[in-house]
Amino acid sequence: MADHLRTLPGTSYPLGATWDGSGTNFALFSAHAEKVELCLFDQSGRREEYRITLPEMTHEIWHGYLPDVRPGQLYGYRVHGPYAPHEGHRFNPHKLLIDPYAKALAGELKWHDAVFGYRIGDPAGDLSFDKRDSARYMPKSVVVDNAFTWGRERPEPRPWHETIIYEMHARGFTMRHPHIPDSMRGTIGALSRAPIVDYLRDLGVTAIELLPIHAFVNDRMLMDRGLRNYWGYNTIGFFAPHSDYLGANGIDDFKTLVQVMHDNGIEVLLDVVYNHTAEGNHLGPTLSFRGIDNRSYYYLVDGDERYYNDFTGTGNALELRHPAVLRMVTDSLRYWHEDMKVDGFRFDLATTLARVNGVYDEHASFLDAVAQDPSLARARLIAEPWDTGNDGYQVGRFPPGWGEWNDVYRDTMRQYWKGDEGKLPDVASRLSGSADIYNHRGRRPWASINFITAHDGFTLHDLVTYNEKHNEANGEGNNDGSSDNNSWNHGAEGPTDDPDILVLRHRQMKNLLSTLMLSQGVPMLLAGDEFGRTQNGNNNAYCQDNELSWIDWSALETETGRSLHAFVRRLIALRHDHIVFHRDRFFLGGTIPGTDVQDVVWLRPDGHPMTADDWGVSHAKALGLLLSGEAGMMHVTDRGIPLPDDTFLILMNAGAEEVRFAMPNTNGGPFWMLVFDTARADDEEPGPVDTYDTAPQSFVLLRRGEPKQ
């Protein structure tokens, strides 16, 4: 090993490894380190060729400039300092460390006792000290050249209320796709291929939300069971894409994906995990942050800094009150938004990011930093507004400008369609954008990200097929995953040949999808739900990187798959074409200014408006919703031009009996034309109606207008 590579002082900004065309600047934050060594490896990553002490430290940032280091160089750090766990320090120079600002990683973590800072099995536990070199087991950071030829400029963001989100897994979406070459399947590059782009554009979604693509670690306990971390909520690098998802073109594949999606009118959102890291609790490995400056990076227990606060069930939490850690997170967000041109972020367990002294604070440093950032102000920001800590449930309490996953919507609609009593008041609130949760401080209906299913839980098919979870394949005795799913198997657990059950299950999927797409707020569709994909009842497939989780595209070739897919395309087109289904403002519940009609009227089956007493009838399961297309000042362009629309009538019947609805009187004429009925074949088109018999468990949409000549 040599130490005589040319080294200059360099600069403390920017952090990370920065190639400037002549050489590479290295800069690493550590407030408590005593010395930082930069280790350069050969292209195999197995041999350490140079170990160089960074010559300068400015404002707690260690730095140096190496004129002879080029893009593609593999590197890591060794950081010297005290090993005093009770004081929060866990420095160990025998452990090679990943650069927190690395833009790419080479190789994957190979689990071995040497990657732990203490001696596994020692009676002193994490208070002991391990002197084995971990380099051979560690992924290496990579110097990258950020140059890329972008096409046209990023398009102006679509209005929030026009957005339809499609949640998908970067690997699982293409692993079984028949029109993607085997060599490309499961990569980010595959997502920019024509069969995928054409499919998404034809479906009509406006944004894809990718499950975590930041570099993550496969948990040791999963590897021991022959499984892998499939979802990726175990981040170890906030700037580098997960190396398994990249092809021969490296990070350029991701940039190409973004460019191609933008060219086709589709935004790219990332699911990001800034609440914790893969290093776990005090018994976890030393891979990066822990060995660089544990006391600065992590939210330690006050008064007993050996231990970590844990609000997520993962063992640790990043200390976002520390300016250097907050800077790292916001630098990461800006990098992905500005350099990689992604359009927004969904923040996993976002309550943790806003905890101050353990308590959620709407003016926490992270939330305030994002709010004032001129770049991030244009990004879509979506919170998963809870964590597992005390008082972690914060739905409706994130600041203006944020969207939030609305699990109240999910639970209400599941409960209603499986026939629970007393749900009509809640259903009305959810259909109208959850104003009871979000209508304050100038927030709009789009603050509610509505969903029926998501990656963590049943697929839509399984929601109507299983009463119980079936997670045996996870190797945890079926004890993992939620047991509270509000699902209904409709008479048989799992697959069945009973034609009546199959028809009802198919109808219920259409009911749930209709509700989702025609509710106010922003709908999020789980990939594959549009043609009824299944995970065989597994509602926690986080460790199933196999055919259980990968989308089975053959389901789209079945009669029921094709029918459901066509129905979802039609629903999405309806939503796009009619602003009454995606208003930018909450309903008034009264007369629209400038007109003499009400914007929304809730109806009983007899065609009369619901009364206070009607809302209290617990056994009632049928509800009508009259949506006025009168524009007034409610439906306008950004230039204030009115956008009148058709008037629609929604009829919902979650009961077990047929319900006859009388058509309401309106100012626009007596005719009501059927748009669709989930209990009818798609090609059935009856003429004008003045009453309508809704089948049990059915959703009906009618449009006011003149009959066809």
Side-chain angles (χ1 to χ4, degrees):
M1 186 189 310
D3 62 359
H4 54 273
L5 205 63
R6 286 191 299 162
T7 305
L8 305 177
T11 62
S12 60
Y13 180 85
L15 287 161
T18 305
W19 162 250
D20 63 8
S22 299
T24 302
N25 190 80
F26 292 87
L28 179 75
F29 163 79
S30 180
H32 299 99
E34 296 168 354
K35 182 172 74 170
V36 173
E37 294 176 310
L38 171 67
C39 305
L40 304 181
F41 290 82
D42 68 4
Q43 287 303 296
S44 73
R46 291 189 291 270
R47 186 166 68 91
E48 185 176 342
E49 295 183 308
Y50 296 94
R51 186 177 299 185
I52 298 153
T53 299
L54 291 183
E56 298 287 340
M57 193 269 280
T58 305
H59 302 149
E60 300 180 335
I61 296 173
W62 302 77
H63 53 93
Y65 183 88
L66 279 69
D68 300 314
V69 168
R70 300 290 185 264
Q73 175 68 58
L74 307 187
Y75 72 99
Y77 288 109
R78 300 180 188 274
V79 182
H80 297 252
Y83 189 83
H86 281 302
E87 299 174 16
H89 299 306
R90 294 178 179 269
F91 294 99
N92 187 333
H94 303 286
K95 310 304 168 185
L96 188 76
L97 305 173
I98 296 168
D99 181 357
Y101 277 72
K103 303 298 194 304
L105 297 180
E108 66 175 0
L109 176 67
K110 300 177 179 65
W111 282 106
H112 188 276
D113 288 354
V115 302
F116 293 81
Y118 63 96
R119 293 188 299 273
I120 298 290
D122 191 294
D126 63 303
L127 300 180
S128 63
F129 187 77
D130 188 272
K131 294 184 177 181
R132 286 173 291 185
D133 191 339
S134 68
R136 71 178 66 181
Y137 310 108
M138 288 291 296
K140 309 304 187 292
S141 305
V142 184
V143 177
V144 302
D145 183 353
N146 281 324
F148 182 78
T149 302
W150 291 96
R152 61 180 181 175
E153 290 297 311
R154 185 207 309 263
E156 284 297 309
R158 183 186 299 268
W160 257 109
H161 64 97
E162 296 180 4
T163 301
I164 298 175
I165 298 172
Y166 189 74
E167 190 194 30
M168 60 191 293
H169 192 286
R171 174 172 165 81
F173 198 71
T174 63
M175 280 299 294
R176 304 176 71 181
H177 198 288
H179 302 303
I180 297 297
D182 289 349
S183 61
M184 289 192 71
R185 291 183 181 181
T187 67
I188 286 172
L191 296 178
S192 62
R193 301 281 288 199
I196 303 302
V197 179
D198 293 346
Y199 176 83
L200 295 171
R201 188 179 61 240
D202 177 71
L203 185 61
V205 296
T206 69
I208 58 173
E209 181 177 302
L210 299 174
L211 265 67
I213 64 154
H214 287 171
F216 64 86
V217 168
N218 285 295
D219 313 61
R220 191 176 199 178
M221 61 94 173
L222 291 179
M223 300 289 281
D224 290 344
R225 297 206 302 262
L227 301 170
R228 296 175 67 85
N229 189 318
Y230 176 61
W231 287 349
Y233 293 92
N234 204 28
T235 307
I236 196 59
F238 298 109
F239 294 79
H242 190 59
S243 58
D244 286 350
Y245 296 168
L246 299 177
N249 295 320
I251 63 174
D252 284 357
D253 279 344
F254 184 85
K255 296 178 180 180
T256 299
L257 167 65
V258 174
Q259 181 71 71
V260 169
M261 288 296 168
H262 285 174
D263 288 346
N264 285 273
I266 299 172
E267 298 178 1
V268 179
L269 312 178
L270 298 185
D271 193 335
V272 290
V273 189
Y274 295 111
N275 55 73
H276 74 281
T277 78
E279 291 185 304
N281 64 14
H282 62 291
L283 298 177
T286 297
L287 308 176
S288 180
F289 315 95
R290 174 172 283 140
I292 293 171
D293 192 344
N294 183 72
R295 189 179 178 95
S296 294
Y297 275 108
Y298 287 115
Y299 198 154
L300 305 180
V301 174
D302 189 26
D304 194 355
E305 283 76 10
R306 176 184 178 185
Y307 300 107
Y308 299 75
N309 281 295
D310 179 11
F311 308 110
T312 64
T314 59
N316 66 52
L318 282 175
E319 177 54 284
L320 288 174
R321 297 176 300 179
H322 193 292
V325 184
L326 178 62
R327 175 184 177 182
M328 177 188 71
V329 171
T330 53
D331 282 351
S332 169
L333 290 170
R334 279 188 293 269
Y335 171 72
W336 288 98
H337 183 55
E338 296 175 358
D339 291 32
M340 306 294 261
K341 298 191 183 298
V342 304
D343 301 281
F345 308 92
R346 178 265 190 189
F347 294 84
D348 177 64
L349 301 177
T351 298
T352 295
L353 307 178
R355 286 187 179 272
V356 177
N357 299 323
V359 178
Y360 174 80
D361 187 335
E362 191 177 324
H363 291 289
S365 298
F366 170 74
L367 295 179
D368 283 349
V370 170
Q372 62 78 43
D373 190 289
S375 172
L376 298 179
R378 292 176 58 82
R380 300 204 192 278
L381 305 174
I382 301 172
E384 183 183 35
W386 53 78
D387 63 18
T388 63
N390 184 48
D391 198 26
Y393 189 75
Q394 297 293 330
V395 171
R397 294 191 58 195
F398 272 72
W402 283 74
E404 300 179 20
W405 271 29
N406 187 352
D407 67 330
V408 183
Y409 180 96
R410 175 199 64 196
D411 295 346
T412 297
M413 296 313 183
R414 289 185 178 192
Q415 291 161 359
Y416 171 72
W417 281 113
K418 77 182 181 72
D420 286 6
E421 294 189 344
K423 303 308 298 182
L424 291 190
D426 289 339
V427 167
S429 293
R430 301 317 134 227
L431 282 169
S432 54
S434 296
D436 56 327
I437 299 175
Y438 299 110
N439 191 9
H440 59 92
R441 300 186 63 191
R443 300 184 80 179
R444 299 294 180 92
W446 56 256
S448 178
I449 308 298
N450 300 328
F451 63 104
I452 302 295
T453 57
H455 67 275
D456 52 344
F458 281 140
T459 65
L460 182 64
H461 171 279
D462 292 356
L463 185 68
V464 301
T465 305
Y466 296 92
N467 282 350
E468 309 295 337
K469 64 185 181 182
H470 296 271
N471 298 351
E472 291 80 7
N474 296 353
E476 300 177 41
N478 204 32
N479 293 314
D480 61 305
S482 175
S483 297
D484 183 17
N485 296 290
N486 292 306
S487 60
W488 179 26
N489 65 22
H490 298 86
E493 186 72 357
T496 181
D497 295 327
D498 187 311
D500 292 335
I501 292 177
L502 292 174
V503 166
L504 184 53
R505 287 176 176 176
H506 188 70
R507 186 191 308 166
Q508 286 282 57
M509 286 193 285
K510 293 170 73 174
N511 292 337
L512 288 159
L513 289 164
S514 300
T515 308
L516 176 65
M517 288 300 165
L518 302 185
S519 294
Q520 304 300 315
V522 174
M524 184 184 78
L525 179 67
L526 175 63
D529 275 357
E530 69 273 19
F531 52 83
R533 66 174 285 257
T534 179
Q535 291 179 171
N536 300 330
N538 191 317
N539 74 349
N540 190 36
Y542 76 102
C543 57
Q544 299 296 328
D545 188 6
N546 51 50
E547 292 189 352
L548 181 71
S549 294
W550 302 338
I551 288 182
D552 179 7
W553 291 93
S554 68
L556 184 55
E557 302 306 316
T558 65
E559 182 179 352
T560 55
R562 288 194 301 270
S563 171
L564 191 62
H565 179 261
F567 183 73
V568 174
R569 289 179 63 240
R570 187 180 179 194
L571 283 173
I572 291 175
L574 270 169
R575 184 179 178 90
H576 283 315
D577 291 344
H578 295 284
I579 196 171
V580 294
F581 300 127
H582 59 86
R583 293 162 49 106
D584 190 38
R585 294 170 171 82
F586 287 104
F587 291 122
L588 298 174
T591 302
I592 301 173
T595 76
D596 58 356
V597 299
Q598 290 183 274
D599 57 353
V600 61
V601 182
W602 303 98
L603 299 171
R604 303 186 311 218
D606 64 6
H608 293 288
M610 294 279 285
T611 67
D613 289 341
D614 294 327
W615 291 113
V617 178
S618 63
H619 63 267
K621 299 178 183 178
L623 181 65
L625 169 58
L626 178 64
L627 290 169
S628 174
E630 294 283 351
M633 292 306 293
M634 294 295 100
H635 304 162
V636 295
T637 68
D638 57 3
R639 296 181 178 274
I641 301 172
L643 290 174
D645 198 359
D646 293 328
T647 291
F648 288 90
L649 178 63
I650 292 173
L651 307 178
M652 302 169 65
N653 178 13
E657 304 293 334
E658 181 178 273
V659 175
R660 172 165 292 184
F661 277 86
M663 299 296 100
N665 292 321
T666 68
N667 296 335
F671 297 112
W672 288 96
M673 309 298 295
L674 180 66
V675 180
F676 70 81
D677 179 344
T678 59
R680 289 178 180 264
D682 292 340
D683 57 355
E684 294 184 37
E685 295 187 9
V689 296
D690 53 15
T691 64
Y692 197 93
D693 295 329
T694 59
Q697 289 95 29
S698 66
F699 186 111
V700 177
L701 180 67
L702 301 109
R703 177 181 56 83
R704 188 185 70 191
E706 298 298 327
K708 294 180 180 179
Q709 299 300 315

